[in-house]
Amino acid sequence: MPYEVKTDADFAPLRNDLLIRAARGEETERAPAWVMRQAGRYLPEFMELRKSHTFFECCQTPALSAELTLQPIRRYSGLIDAAIIFCDILVVPQAMGLVVEMTPGPYLPEPINTPADMDRLTKDVDINETLGYVFEAITLTRQQLKGEVPLIGFCGAPFTLFSYMVEGGGTKTFQKSKSWLFKWPKETAELLDRIAVVCADLLVGQVKAGAQMVQIFDSWAGELTPYHFTTFALPPLLKISSLFRSKLTALGITPPPIILFAKGANSSLELLSKSGAFDVLALDWCITAEEAKVITGGRVALQGNADPLCLYGGKEGIEEEVKRVCAGFIGEGKGPKGWISNLGHGITPQVLPEDMKWYLECVKKYSSRKE
Ligand code: CP3
């Protein structure tokens, strides 16, 4: 099915552009705030809707995806500065022909065990045919947002997706992923490259449908040595960025900012900031703002990086952590510059919605520009 390209003129004007300005490295009157996994299991309204729909039904039904995307925006209106589309990184392996179930964690019954299994993957994935529902969800959500906050599209990074595809689900040991890397380096690179092409098309499709920024989630980057990150994970990430920018430019669309979250890959931050491929680098909680600013030298905007588990610290604990992080990013300045407030990883399921609200209130208080 062909999809019409949407432009800003098709939607209500954006009333809160803090996120976009911060991603461009500009000063903002306060730090834009959003939280990875903000639409999900800690929200009772999400749990309610999940009772009557499977997880992938929620992803695949644009009206449900839009509703779930909007839930945190409604609940935290005025405190939250971005929406992220309700979907999952594992829709890419599905588009490539693999079965993915949520049981309740991801389960792929027929993983890619050896290079010969790569033949089972679809060649030349038709992105509109396989993932058109994501694009419909984006357009519908952007309409329903009515310009309140920008909408972020996303995809998983090739190495993270590769590990799910070869392990058959989550893993603590990465035994199969590492076997691939060390036994079949050439085939590993080939598979990563094939995944990158689908990821790029998914991101391009999301922007064509109305996404105003995109994030790439490399949740397992930290499992690699810096050498293997550079050798295996980085080339397909660079490929996503260059395909994303060139394909959108060819369509006459200005490519929106790309956020890369390479969790645990802090020793590659300098390289990533110098690559020019990413506008924003999202930080996990294992590096201070001060260090990250020095390493990245103002070449990129930064996102992060409160400890996600501070949300279990009660009002005082949350406030202290937010204060610390805000002070780190703002430094000697009067207010934030090129900084997007977020957690260092996703919000976890047992967090109380009112604690998330308090967290957002604290971000607003401690990141606001002084006079
Ligand atoms: O940020 C958002 O709220 C948007 C939606 C979103 C989901 N998953 C919904 C989801 C996003 C951005 C993701 C990304 C994702 N998915 C990542 C990268 C981010 C990260 O946390 O590292 C990863 C590794 C996945 C894979 C995945 N999906 C796992 C490991 C699980 C199970 C464990 C868990 O955290 O819930 C999922 C399921 C999932 N994805 C749920 C949601 C709301 C819960 C599923 C349910 O309702 O049963």
Side-chain angles (χ1 to χ4, degrees):
M1 195 182 8
Y3 284 87
E4 235 180 274
V5 175
K6 298 283 185 296
T7 67
D8 284 346
D10 294 305
F11 303 103
L14 186 58
R15 284 176 277 133
N16 173 345
D17 65 351
L18 284 171
L19 181 83
I20 315 279
R21 282 156 48 209
R24 288 197 206 110
E26 294 171 18
E27 288 184 355
T28 49
E29 46 283 20
R30 61 183 173 84
W34 71 282
V35 166
M36 292 187 269
R37 304 292 204 101
Q38 66 189 23
R41 290 187 301 183
Y42 69 104
L43 288 179
E45 54 271 39
F46 169 79
M47 301 299 281
E48 193 53 40
L49 206 139
R50 270 286 276 114
K51 282 186 193 156
S52 42
H53 303 278
T54 67
F55 175 70
F56 283 113
E57 246 169 56
C58 293
C59 297
Q60 288 160 7
T61 313
L64 293 177
S65 165
E67 166 59 23
L68 292 170
T69 306
L70 290 172
Q71 282 180 349
I73 307 305
R74 274 190 216 119
R75 190 184 261 269
Y76 304 118
S77 179
L79 293 170
I80 203 159
D81 303 295
I84 178 161
I85 193 67
F86 187 90
C87 191
D88 199 82
I89 62 168
L90 297 168
V91 300
V92 163
Q94 287 176 332
M96 296 177 82
L98 293 181
V99 171
V100 183
E101 296 163 9
M102 277 296 164
T103 64
Y107 172 58
L108 292 79
E110 293 170 313
I112 304 298
N113 292 311
T114 67
D117 290 336
M118 281 162 67
D119 290 342
R120 284 200 271 118
L121 296 173
T122 312
K123 290 194 183 61
D124 303 318
V125 171
D126 180 334
I127 206 76
N128 292 329
E129 182 80 28
T130 52
L131 296 179
Y133 64 84
V134 182
F135 310 145
E136 285 172 31
I138 291 267
T139 303
L140 187 64
T141 307
R142 175 115 182 241
Q143 283 163 349
Q144 293 184 358
L145 274 168
K146 298 192 172 77
E148 182 171 345
V149 291
L151 177 59
I152 304 173
F154 73 89
C155 71
F159 174 68
T160 292
L161 294 173
F162 160 87
S163 69
Y164 280 105
M165 288 164 71
V166 305
E167 303 277 354
T171 173
K172 285 201 164 70
T173 61
F174 290 84
Q175 189 185 326
K176 294 178 180 172
S177 320
K178 293 294 177 88
S179 302
W180 265 76
L181 240 80
F182 290 102
K183 255 189 200 162
W184 305 304
K186 199 173 123 286
E187 291 83 354
T188 297
E190 189 187 321
L191 181 49
L192 288 166
D193 188 78
R194 282 178 63 178
I195 299 169
V197 173
V198 185
C199 291
D201 283 342
L202 173 57
L203 294 183
V204 168
Q206 291 181 79
V207 172
K208 284 164 65 182
Q212 289 146 295
M213 199 172 299
V214 295
Q215 176 159 321
I216 307 172
F217 287 89
D218 210 349
S219 305
W220 302 133
E223 297 298 325
L224 296 169
T225 69
Y227 170 76
H228 293 96
F229 178 81
T230 310
T231 309
F232 290 99
L234 185 58
L237 286 170
L238 297 178
K239 178 156 185 163
I240 294 177
S241 169
S242 70
L243 283 175
F244 175 77
R245 288 173 177 169
S246 62
K247 287 191 176 195
L248 287 171
T249 305
L251 288 166
I253 303 170
T254 307
I258 305 175
I259 308 169
L260 172 67
F261 176 51
K263 183 177 178 294
N266 290 332
S267 55
S268 299
L269 275 182
E270 184 174 359
L271 182 69
L272 289 169
S273 71
K274 286 180 173 164
S275 72
F278 313 103
D279 303 274
V280 184
L281 293 178
L283 307 170
D284 64 25
W285 65 91
C286 301
I287 186 165
T288 63
E290 291 85 346
E291 275 179 280
K293 282 195 286 188
V294 171
I295 293 172
T296 56
R299 291 177 291 270
V300 289
L302 295 171
Q303 175 174 284
N305 72 340
D307 184 335
L309 301 192
C310 79
L311 288 162
Y312 296 110
K315 280 197 145 191
E316 268 177 47
I318 294 170
E319 184 163 359
E320 277 311 301
E321 174 66 353
V322 171
K323 212 167 148 178
R324 181 187 73 81
V325 172
C326 289
F329 281 99
I330 295 168
E332 300 304 307
K334 284 195 168 172
K337 181 172 185 296
W339 173 45
I340 300 166
S341 160
N342 208 313
L343 301 174
H345 197 187
I347 184 170
T348 51
Q350 272 74 44
V351 171
L352 302 173
E354 58 266 35
D355 285 336
M356 163 79 159
K357 180 161 185 249
W358 175 246
Y359 161 84
L360 293 168
E361 283 167 353
C362 290
V363 173
K364 194 166 189 173
K365 177 170 171 193
Y366 291 103
S367 75
S368 287
R369 199 179 160 77
K370 292 171 202 79
E371 82 333 25

